[in-house]
Amino acid sequence: MKILLLTQAFNSLSQRLYVELCQRGHQVSVEFDINDRVSIEAVALFRPDLIVAPFLKRAIAREIWANHICLVVHPGIKGDRGPSALDWAILNGERHWGVTLLQANAEMDAGDIWATETFPMRQATKASLYRNEVTEAAVRTVLTAIGHLQQGGFEPEPLDYANHDVRGTPRPLVRQADRAIDWRRDDSQTVLRKIRSGDGFPGVADRLFGRDCFLHDAHHEPSLGGRPGEVIARSGPAICRATVDGSIWIGHLRDSQGAHPFKLPATRVLADETAHLPEAGGYPEISYRERSGVGYLHFHFYNGAMSRHQCERLREAFASARSRDTRVIVLMGGSDFWSNGLHLNLIEAAASPADESWLNINAINDLARDIITTQSHVTISALQGNAGAGGVFLARAADLVWARSGVILNPHYKDMGNLYGSEYWTYLLPKRVGDERAVRITQGRLPMGCGEAFELGLVDACFACGHGEFVSVLEREAELLAVDPGWEEMLAEKIRRRAMDELERPLERYREQELSRMKRNFYGFDPSYHVARYNFVYKVPKSRTPVTIARHRDLRRASDRIGKKRS
Ligand code: COA
């Protein structure tokens, strides 16, 4: 089928749908819903059999829905309506929530129902629920609806609040007043729920040391306490704030009135105000555990962004993992993202973004080199969540890459203002996929599903299981590898291969060549990288859809088609 994804952004959900639909042989094109004229034009150019709207903030133009089947992914149960579906579900402490696929009509979220799915709610941020449970359910509902369309004769169910299974109701936009924290009354669970309901966006508006800040990235603290509302400790990026029955950690803040009005580590935003506070154990961004000959290194970096200092700390933790008497090291990343490469927000906030970019890429490279040259252990990158740009190649630095099947990879840098990229990708990628495919992947700038990554050799194993199950499955496999009689041979073979590669071309040459190109990105005349980073960090809306995904706007393809017709 020809399927047009009409979406506000090519976000995790729309990327996953894109990958799943392409994989099933559908012809998929994407248009950003910038305004009615652009969307109508896209429909006219592509002439889709079906329009799917995975993530929309406005109603679809009548001209489109009146003439085409448009299915809208609503992150709510049957009957739920409104722009803050997940926010309310978290705030109201719903035990189960869902996704409903509605046919667009004149009334927002009130169209006929094509499919619906429910899932148990997890104690997690809105963004995490969206990237995991909502995305999985959305994919299933869209595939179900496509099945109905292909079979024909399906009648979608009109929304009728009299039906006993319609539990949802229309709800307004969540306002800051709805999630405002009353530090004198709210217990830790309530505070966590309020912050999670607005995380990633918009955060909870609050005041800290006389400054208006939005709170993000909240975590439970098991033992500390103090006067409710008071900031009592710091740890890594986070500050600890007392509640009526304990305290919570706040990892990130957005000071909308400040010089850098985007999300930054809390201890960076409040550096002066919190300098005197005691350092506590906090919630560790990096943690290590060991079992049955396997060391597991977790790095829960918010949004998968890895700053210079985070890379340095991770490198130390990796060195210490290597010194242990184990056989396998699993690089676990975080539960939502494995890594998204350079910490673009901290770079944007630096006195010299070019210098900070340089220091950051060198710190990632140092870590990548240590992983590549590890001779004592078999290393595995275990992708519980997505990885993008340098994060993908950092994962590939390990001997093996194992991924959960729903994971999406973006193994390319060019979208960030033609960034050349480093992390030894010029060594790692062609070696795995060959030169020709390496060019296609890095130039194509498309998201890649686990299945395709596996076929290309970018991923070594793909586990078809849910988010929760993945960790236990991979632990079992890693622990089997640690006792595998072939382990020594595997290690010997990798040492031999590395030595041969080094003879052919030293690792340092790859790094030098990549960094010479990166230097131009950071310090050269062309400001594209700095502009793209600014737009990314400040979330400047896109003014057009890239032709890499808006296939109906790809003039080259269009002229090919015309050429074929003529010949
Ligand atoms: N630095 C800082 N923040 C980052 C980041 C990075 N490298 N990568 C992602 N984020 C943040 C986003 O700003 C967003 O923030 P929010 O919580 O305020 O919404 C959040 O992580 C989720 O990212 P989003 O883009 O919404 O996720 P996605 O799953 O839709 O898209 C990517 C994933 C990887 C395609 C996209 O985030 C991306 O292009 N990141 C930049 C990668 C990059 O160029 N890194 C530098 C070169 S190594």
Side-chain angles (χ1 to χ4, degrees):
M1 281 176 101
K2 279 171 85 177
I3 303 174
L4 180 69
L5 298 182
L6 190 59
T7 185
Q8 171 87 16
F10 201 38
N11 65 353
S12 51
L13 170 54
S14 28
Q15 292 199 0
R16 175 75 187 283
L17 274 175
Y18 178 89
V19 162
E20 296 282 348
L21 297 175
C22 290
Q23 198 181 308
R24 284 167 178 77
H26 298 293
Q27 216 183 314
V28 187
S29 197
V30 181
E31 185 69 44
F32 293 160
D33 180 46
I34 290 162
N35 58 41
D36 286 352
R37 188 189 56 75
V38 169
S39 300
I40 291 167
E41 184 184 70
V43 173
L45 282 171
F46 192 51
R47 286 186 276 136
D49 303 310
L50 170 66
I51 297 170
V52 177
F55 171 51
L56 275 191
K57 292 203 171 154
R58 321 172 315 124
I60 297 176
R62 170 178 287 274
E63 188 176 331
I64 300 178
W65 62 255
N67 296 304
H68 298 266
I69 296 179
C70 302
L71 301 180
V72 179
V73 176
H74 177 75
I77 52 173
K78 251 189 202 183
D80 180 83
R81 291 174 59 185
S84 303
L86 266 179
D87 309 51
W88 283 120
I90 298 171
L91 281 173
N92 295 339
E94 300 285 354
R95 306 282 292 274
H96 287 84
W97 200 239
V99 167
T100 307
L101 196 65
L102 306 154
Q103 182 159 352
N105 64 11
E107 224 183 322
M108 195 84 168
D109 298 338
D112 293 353
I113 297 160
W114 279 70
T116 186
E117 288 258 349
T118 54
F119 51 80
M121 284 285 270
R122 207 167 26 102
Q123 297 210 348
T125 63
K126 171 172 66 164
S128 179
L129 288 163
Y130 185 82
R131 278 185 210 112
N132 293 289
E133 284 82 349
V134 169
T135 297
E136 297 297 335
V139 169
R140 286 194 299 269
T141 56
V142 170
L143 295 179
T144 303
I146 291 174
H148 291 325
L149 265 174
Q150 285 173 327
Q151 274 181 359
F154 177 76
E155 288 292 326
E157 174 194 330
L159 173 61
D160 180 354
Y161 284 101
N163 286 347
H164 72 281
D165 67 336
V166 178
R167 284 199 306 117
T169 51
R171 289 184 196 281
L173 179 79
V174 169
R175 299 188 189 280
Q176 281 300 338
D178 299 313
R179 44 183 148 223
I181 297 169
D182 182 345
W183 291 97
R184 287 158 313 166
R185 283 214 183 116
D186 290 345
D187 60 11
S188 299
Q189 278 312 319
T190 309
V191 174
L192 285 174
R193 208 167 51 234
K194 287 180 172 176
I195 298 178
R196 285 173 180 159
S197 78
D199 204 8
F201 183 81
V204 170
D206 203 1
R207 272 184 87 69
L208 274 160
F209 300 101
R211 287 162 70 174
D212 289 325
C213 290
F214 290 87
L215 315 182
H216 296 270
D217 187 22
H219 303 262
H220 172 70
E221 158 56 46
S223 53
L224 299 176
R227 198 151 43 89
E230 198 183 353
V231 178
I232 52 174
R234 50 183 284 158
S235 167
I239 54 170
C240 185
R241 206 161 174 195
T243 61
V244 289
D245 63 344
S247 60
I248 56 137
W249 290 98
I250 299 167
H252 282 74
L253 296 174
R254 185 163 56 89
D255 178 358
S256 56
Q257 310 297 317
H260 307 298
F262 42 83
K263 276 185 215 170
L264 287 170
T267 46
R268 155 80 200 236
V269 175
L270 300 173
D272 295 340
E273 294 89 338
T274 58
H276 67 284
L277 289 172
E279 279 279 342
Y283 74 100
E285 282 188 303
I286 299 173
S287 60
Y288 177 79
R289 67 193 162 88
E290 228 173 77
R291 199 176 70 186
S292 311
V294 181
Y296 298 93
L297 190 54
H298 293 260
F299 36 108
H300 289 282
F301 297 144
Y302 187 65
N303 283 339
M306 293 171 83
S307 72
R308 164 169 50 124
H309 295 301
Q310 284 167 321
C311 292
E312 287 165 359
R313 283 201 303 275
L314 184 54
R315 192 170 161 229
E316 281 163 23
F318 181 69
S320 132
R322 271 201 325 198
S323 72
R324 304 284 305 166
D325 183 20
T326 47
R327 296 185 132 202
V328 175
I329 298 174
V330 188
L331 300 164
M332 299 289 292
S335 57
D336 271 19
F337 290 106
W338 196 85
S339 165
N340 280 328
L342 300 180
H343 199 309
L344 298 169
N345 289 31
L346 275 172
I347 290 173
E348 189 61 38
S352 162
D355 288 351
E356 192 55 41
S357 303
W358 181 254
L359 294 169
N360 199 159
I361 195 67
N362 273 287
I364 296 194
N365 281 357
D366 290 345
L367 172 63
R369 184 194 51 220
D370 287 1
I371 300 171
I372 297 169
T373 56
T374 294
Q375 303 205 337
S376 51
H377 289 74
V378 171
T379 54
I380 304 170
S381 294
L383 273 58
Q384 308 172 60
N386 298 349
V392 179
F393 301 107
L394 183 66
R396 197 54 274 180
D399 304 320
L400 297 167
V401 178
W402 292 353
R404 186 172 59 81
S405 58
V407 156
I408 295 290
L409 306 178
N410 275 281
H412 47 84
Y413 302 87
K414 276 193 98 172
D415 280 346
M416 197 51 65
N418 264 328
L419 201 61
Y420 185 77
S422 193
E423 291 95 5
Y424 300 90
W425 76 266
T426 55
Y427 168 64
L428 297 165
L429 186 63
K431 195 157 76 83
R432 303 296 306 197
V433 306
D435 291 334
E436 188 250 327
R437 281 169 163 178
V439 172
R440 192 150 50 82
I441 292 169
T442 48
Q443 305 295 315
R445 299 190 252 168
L446 292 171
M448 187 182 284
C450 212
E452 187 184 353
F454 175 71
E455 276 164 32
L456 290 170
L458 201 52
V459 160
D460 303 290
C462 215
F463 297 96
C465 53
H467 197 257
E469 250 177 294
F470 177 70
V471 174
S472 46
V473 173
L474 90 87
E475 283 176 349
R476 196 180 60 223
E477 294 296 320
E479 286 161 26
L480 282 176
L481 184 59
V483 293
D484 193 312
W487 177 84
E488 266 164 22
E489 178 50 35
M490 195 172 167
L491 202 65
E493 169 59 17
K494 95 155 166 172
I495 294 170
R496 194 184 58 78
R497 232 181 311 123
R498 177 82 276 286
M500 280 173 53
D501 288 351
E502 188 67 19
L503 271 181
E504 201 178 299
R505 190 172 184 221
L507 210 47
E508 274 318 288
R509 292 292 93 75
Y510 291 95
R511 178 170 176 156
E512 282 162 15
Q513 185 269 337
E514 290 167 5
L515 287 181
S516 71
R517 299 291 296 266
M518 289 292 258
K519 207 167 218 167
R520 272 191 255 162
N521 288 134
F522 300 156
Y523 297 99
F525 290 119
D526 178 359
S528 300
Y529 157 69
H530 297 290
V531 173
R533 189 194 59 242
Y534 175 94
N535 290 342
F536 181 82
V537 169
Y538 281 86
K539 302 190 186 299
V540 175
K542 295 259 191 319
S543 55
R544 62 177 184 83
T545 317
V547 286
T548 44
I549 48 174
R551 302 173 72 177
H552 52 282
R553 295 194 186 277
D554 186 339
L555 296 175
R556 210 164 12 90
R557 281 171 203 270
S559 61
D560 280 357
R561 278 197 300 270
I562 294 163
K564 272 194 196 123
K565 264 190 200 155
R566 283 196 187 134
S567 60

